[in-house]
Amino acid sequence: MIATKNLDWKLLNTPLVLFLLLFLGFPVIVNLYYSLSEVSFETLRAPELEGVGNYLIVLTDGAFWQASWFSLRFGIVTAVAECAIGLGLAIFLAPLIEKHSAMMAPLMLPLMVAPAMVGLMYRLVLHEFVGPVPFYLYEWFGNSPSFLNATNAFWTLSVVETLQWTPFAFLLFYMAYEAIPDEVRQAAAIDGAGPLQLLFLIEPAVDGADVDYRVFYPLHRWFPGV
Amino acid sequence: MDNYASVLQVTDRLNIFGYLGNSLAAALIGTTLALVLALPAAFAIARGGIGRRLLMPAIVNLRAVPLIIFAIPLYMMFQWLGLLDTQIGLGLILTIVNLPLALVILVNAISDLPLELDEAARIDGANTFQILAQVIAPVCRPAIVTSFIFGFITAWNEFLFGLMLTTSKAVPMTVGASFFFAASGGGVQWGLASAVMIVGALPPMLLGLIMYKQISGSMTAGAVKG
């Protein structure tokens, strides 16, 4: 009986495993082989093994480390900002959302738009010559930074990313906050606990490590910098 | 409304209805197939524990991997399989993109169901596959719908693989939108660009607005544990 059930579980997993082996296993193997080979467009189908030379080229290239540093800073800055703003919104908007659940819809809107579209929209809005933001900054203050130049691109990109993905952090924090039972909230309020204490002190006590897995594990994956 | 009229006009070079149709087809394939693969696996992971230690972390961690690293081998594989510039090919890649979140949501939903449900069905003579099809799947419908909505929005918004794996017949909306930017020559047509971005962003935004209660409700339920 146990053996049959084990076979059943394995059969249920099989389609997914086969799909992953085909569409991810093969590319991983090819990638590894190519990374150790001399490959050009002429030799794409017959690469020649050459050792770790490609890795050495990448690791000694300043551009690689510059790009990695940019990504690391970008990941940390946006993840911290998204979590901080998402948590703040979840705590302070929770009572309002409980009364007017339709508020959730506009808050989640940025999540629904393609990042490529959002990027193009901001490119238009912040464009030095035709964008409305630089135009009004010139009108009101007589000057406007060039949002898209090399100096300011990091912060422009960070703000745009934060604006688009904060709703997801908000949703995760909101559901963690809402998972606290009403009786527990009322008891904590009588004891003088604020919303932050409710979220971080009482929630784990109610739900144990499970909440960490269900709520914060996906958060770590979506915001790898956290 | 001239810009919208221009966007909706079908020409030899630009066909917004074709792009919308391609996005719809690829997103439906990518979302449905991800659910078809993830639901049995989630059942096996949640109930049988098979795949909890290796398969589940491997798939969930796919979210942290930039899929661009598979670009070259996937391009070659798709060329070999005749899947380049097809809706099915794009749908298969979108399945990979959607699998992690679908699996997490479904494993959480099934873990929340009482084990007595399975046991009662088994006493009534149902085997593992019947339990999945006739008991678990209907009860998990809210989580399945949530996975579908998130998956559809993610798939609709995907840009990178759309750009890489399609050229004319299966170009999705996110890539097709960029064709309008210099459609008439003589620099970027900002009015036209804004109109096409609005049209392209409408379907996922409408879906999100209509289904926001389902998304937040189901995710909140997944985080609650008695």
Side-chain angles (χ1 to χ4, degrees), chain A residues 117-155:
Chain A
M117 299 276 187
V118 172
L120 291 172
M121 284 178 195
Y122 276 103
R123 193 176 166 80
L124 167 61
V125 169
L126 300 174
H127 195 281
E128 208 171 344
F129 302 121
V130 296
V133 173
F135 174 80
Y136 283 111
L137 286 176
Y138 270 117
E139 284 280 304
W140 295 336
F141 304 108
N143 198 7
S144 166
S146 177
F147 292 100
L148 304 174
N149 72 11
T151 317
N152 297 324
F154 176 81
W155 291 107

Side-chain angles (χ1 to χ4, degrees), chain A residues 155-172:
Chain A
W155 291 107
T156 304
L157 201 60
S158 299
V159 170
V160 171
E161 172 81 7
T162 303
L163 286 173
Q164 175 155 37
W165 290 107
T166 295
F168 196 78
F170 157 75
L171 190 63
L172 293 175

Side-chain angles (χ1 to χ4, degrees), chain A residues 8 13 31 34 124 213-214, chain B residues 50 56 69 76 128 190 194 222:
Chain A
D8 288 351
N13 269 335
N31 248 351
Y34 274 18
L124 167 61
Y213 172 71
R214 287 156 190 266
Chain B
I50 303 288
M56 174 86 175
I69 62 171
M76 289 170 59
T128 306
W190 289 110
S194 301

Side-chain angles (χ1 to χ4, degrees), chain A:
Chain A
M1 179 70 177
I2 292 172
T4 313
K5 272 176 87 175
N6 266 340
L7 181 68
D8 288 351
W9 300 133
K10 282 176 186 168
L11 281 175
L12 288 170
N13 269 335
T14 303
L16 179 61
V17 172
L18 288 178
F19 180 83
L20 289 175
L21 282 177
L22 179 63
F23 285 100
L24 285 182
F26 172 75
V28 166
I29 292 167
V30 172
N31 248 351
L32 282 172
Y33 192 79
Y34 274 18
S35 71
L36 298 168
S37 308
E38 171 73 40
V39 194
S40 65
F41 273 112
E42 288 85 15
T43 60
L44 209 55
R45 294 192 187 280
E48 287 176 19
L49 272 175
E50 65 151 24
V52 293
N54 291 328
Y55 286 95
L56 288 175
I57 292 170
V58 169
L59 293 174
T60 52
D61 189 336
F64 169 76
W65 292 108
Q66 197 181 358
S68 300
W69 173 234
F70 185 98
S71 292
L72 182 69
R73 276 194 308 151
F74 178 67
I76 291 172
V77 166
T78 53
V80 170
E82 284 159 17
C83 287
I85 300 169
L87 178 63
L89 284 174
I91 290 171
F92 294 109
L93 293 181
L96 279 173
I97 292 170
E98 273 172 31
K99 283 182 193 159
H100 313 284
S101 63
M103 268 185 71
M104 189 64 108
L107 283 168
M108 285 168 56
L109 264 188
L111 271 182
M112 312 301 169
V113 187
M117 299 276 187
V118 172
L120 291 172
M121 284 178 195
Y122 276 103
R123 193 176 166 80
L124 167 61
V125 169
L126 300 174
H127 195 281
E128 208 171 344
F129 302 121
V130 296
V133 173
F135 174 80
Y136 283 111
L137 286 176
Y138 270 117
E139 284 280 304
W140 295 336
F141 304 108
N143 198 7
S144 166
S146 177
F147 292 100
L148 304 174
N149 72 11
T151 317
N152 297 324
F154 176 81
W155 291 107
T156 304
L157 201 60
S158 299
V159 170
V160 171
E161 172 81 7
T162 303
L163 286 173
Q164 175 155 37
W165 290 107
T166 295
F168 196 78
F170 157 75
L171 190 63
L172 293 175
F173 281 117
Y174 177 73
M175 72 192 199
Y177 192 73
E178 284 298 292
I180 302 171
D182 279 345
E183 312 86 68
V184 178
R185 286 192 213 197
Q186 285 159 8
I190 291 168
D191 288 345
L196 268 175
Q197 285 166 306
L198 259 180
L199 186 66
F200 285 116
L201 300 178
I202 296 171
E203 172 74 14
V206 172
D207 234 354
D210 207 40
V211 160
D212 186 56
Y213 172 71
R214 287 156 190 266
V215 179
F216 294 103
Y217 186 65
L219 186 73
H220 283 290
R221 299 275 57 81
W222 278 76
F223 306 111
V226 180

